């Protein structure tokens, strides 16, 4: 079985560098998908209140017969709950759905700078409370740009442990990654294989042929060697297994550079721009 490296966060806690993402997995399929991933060897699950499947994530872990302490769980505060009391209530509900008295990592899902009077600082201070009372072992953010992070660094006591952002070969997002790195924040790369869109790329296909691995394995390995955390999503057992087998090969410098050169800048971005995104789910 592969051994997944751990990364130490700026608060001293360890996080497995490879996990399993559950965005867009239907609640009815989630417990089974999580159990499959855990059977294969994953020990890190990335969910969110917005995904609507926290309860089933907790169920999948119990179905796998694993103790709570054996799996690293991340969840995220939904966009409608940034006000302090709403955030406290939403976090209570996240824990109750997971049937756990803590999460390993809790994130503000989006900064929403055009909502709440641009105030994500008071929301962050509520996450500091969760860290203080140990119900969130670590706290971090998602989709924060350098300008948003600057404000957190200046106006609060806690530097986020992670920043979870869109990163893949067509959108390498190196400006934000560099900011993270310079401030002791670990980058987590969401949509690491661009939901499949990079897998037919001729550069990636030819590197995959040369190293005898699949295009998905090559792209995920590129992330790992860049030092980012990844949690690819799949409901297909064979792919879940394939995505876990990343630690018995290495990409050379030329291959790393060739993949990084596929960056298309802002046009490669698939998700919404964090400066503008203002979606509040029903
Ligand atoms: N913070 C945020 O705002 C944010 C946003 C997006 C995602 N995320 C997180 O990041 C995780 C991963 O991102 P994502 O789910 O958007 O996309 P992704 O992991 O880049 O790609 C998932 C898609 O690729 C397919 N796939 C997976 N492995 C494959 C393989 N080995 N070969 C071929 N196809 C494969 C899956 O198909 P099947 O499932 O049909 O097999 C699925 O359609 C999410 O689950 C979530 O935890 C966070």
């Amino acid at each position: 079985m592969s051994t997944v490296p751990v990364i130490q966060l700026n608060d001293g806690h360890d996080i497995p560098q490879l996990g399993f993402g559950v965005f867009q997995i239907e609640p009815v399929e989630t417990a089974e998908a999580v159990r499959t991933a855990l059977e294969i060897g994953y020990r890190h699950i990335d969910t969110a209140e917005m995904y609507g499947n926290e309860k089933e994530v907790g169920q999948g872990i119990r179905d796998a017969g694993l103790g709570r302490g054996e799996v690293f769980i991340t969840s995220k505060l939904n966009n409608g709950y940034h006000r302090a009391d709403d955030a406290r209530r939403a976090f209570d509900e996240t824990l109750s759905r997971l049937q756990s008295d803590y999460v390993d990592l809790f994130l503000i899902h989006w900064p929403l700078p055009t909502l709440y009077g641009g105030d994500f600082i008071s929301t962050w201070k509520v996450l500091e409370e969760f860290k203080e009372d140990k119900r969130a072992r670590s706290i971090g953010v998602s989709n924060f740009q350098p300008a948003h992070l600057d404000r957190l660094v200046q106006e609060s006591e806690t530097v986020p442990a992670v920043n979870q952002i869109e990163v893949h070969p067509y959108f390498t997002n190196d400006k934000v990654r560099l900011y993270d790195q310079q401030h002791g924040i670990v980058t987590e790369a969401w949509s690491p294989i661009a939901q499949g869109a990079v897998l037919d790329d001729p550069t990636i296909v030819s590197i995959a042929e040369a190293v005898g691995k699949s295009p998905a394995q090559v792209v995920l390995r590129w992330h790992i060697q860049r030092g980012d955390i990844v949690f690819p999503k799949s409901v297909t057992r064979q792919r879940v297994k394939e995505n876990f087998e990343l630690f018995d090969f290495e990409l050379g410098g030329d291959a790393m550079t060739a993949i990084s050169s596929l960056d298309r800048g802002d046009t490669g971005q698939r998700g919404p721009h964090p400066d503008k995104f203002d979606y509040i789910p029903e």
Side-chain angles (χ1 to χ4, degrees):
M1 185 186 284
S2 305
T3 306
V4 175
V6 294
I7 291 182
Q8 190 173 62
L9 302 173
N10 61 15
D11 57 12
H13 291 297
D14 286 339
I15 180 170
Q17 193 180 2
L18 173 64
F20 182 67
V22 298
F23 176 44
Q24 291 176 328
I25 303 186
E26 293 297 328
V28 290
E29 289 184 75
T30 302
E32 175 68 17
V34 166
R35 189 170 62 85
T36 298
L38 295 170
E39 273 170 18
I40 287 166
Y42 292 78
R43 290 293 180 270
H44 166 182
I45 311 290
D46 185 85
T47 185
E49 206 275 338
M50 198 188 286
Y51 305 165
N53 55 18
E54 290 170 310
K55 181 164 159 264
E56 293 77 11
V57 165
Q59 187 61 50
I61 294 170
R62 289 189 297 282
D63 291 350
L66 291 172
R68 174 63 190 86
E70 293 176 271
V71 184
F72 189 103
I73 305 179
T74 299
S75 195
K76 315 184 190 88
L77 182 72
N78 209 338
N79 294 347
Y81 306 133
H82 276 216
R83 289 193 187 85
D85 281 346
D86 294 337
R88 292 186 189 106
R89 198 163 36 242
F91 185 60
D92 287 347
E93 286 169 7
T94 282
L95 293 182
S96 122
R97 277 190 292 269
L98 288 166
Q99 289 190 34
S100 175
D101 49 15
Y102 71 95
V103 287
D104 294 279
L105 178 61
F106 196 63
L107 311 180
I108 299 181
H109 205 147
W110 288 89
L112 310 175
T114 64
L115 301 179
Y116 302 105
D119 172 25
F120 43 75
I121 302 296
S122 61
T123 312
W124 180 243
K125 290 186 174 170
V126 178
L127 265 68
E128 287 182 315
E129 291 173 15
F130 305 154
K131 180 164 172 55
E132 181 65 29
D133 67 22
K134 299 192 169 42
R135 293 187 304 150
R137 299 261 162 101
S138 299
I139 54 173
V141 294
S142 180
N143 301 301
F144 273 49
Q145 298 289 99
H148 308 138
L149 292 166
D150 270 340
R151 287 193 51 204
L152 289 190
V153 168
Q154 283 156 20
E155 297 175 49
S156 81
E157 300 299 315
T158 314
V159 176
V162 310
N163 186 18
Q164 184 177 128
I165 54 173
E166 180 178 347
V167 186
H168 46 73
Y170 291 163
F171 185 58
T172 57
N173 215 344
D174 285 324
K175 218 168 68 191
V176 182
R177 291 178 68 255
L178 181 63
Y179 182 104
D180 289 349
Q181 198 187 0
Q182 288 171 340
H183 291 80
I185 301 167
V186 174
T187 298
E188 298 191 322
W190 63 250
S191 291
I193 57 172
Q195 300 196 330
V198 295
L199 302 182
D200 295 332
D201 187 281
T203 299
I204 289 167
V205 170
S206 83
I207 293 170
E209 281 166 3
V211 298
K213 293 285 172 181
S214 74
Q217 287 172 320
V218 163
V219 174
L220 294 168
R221 180 72 208 182
W222 169 81
H223 286 284
I224 295 284
Q225 287 183 212
R226 276 158 53 99
D228 291 354
I229 293 169
V230 280
F231 22 79
K233 167 266 176 185
S234 176
V235 290
T236 316
R237 187 184 179 97
Q238 187 47 41
R239 290 175 172 174
V240 179
K241 190 165 175 299
E242 175 184 319
N243 296 345
F244 194 67
E245 290 165 357
L246 307 180
F247 304 103
D248 58 354
F249 73 109
E250 207 165 318
L251 297 173
D254 289 351
M256 289 295 294
T257 305
I259 299 170
S260 301
S261 314
L262 298 174
D263 183 33
R264 298 175 177 175
D266 289 349
T267 57
Q269 186 168 23
R270 298 169 58 80
H273 196 291
D275 282 340
K276 300 191 186 112
F277 190 58
D278 61 359
Y279 168 67
I280 305 266
E282 297 284 299

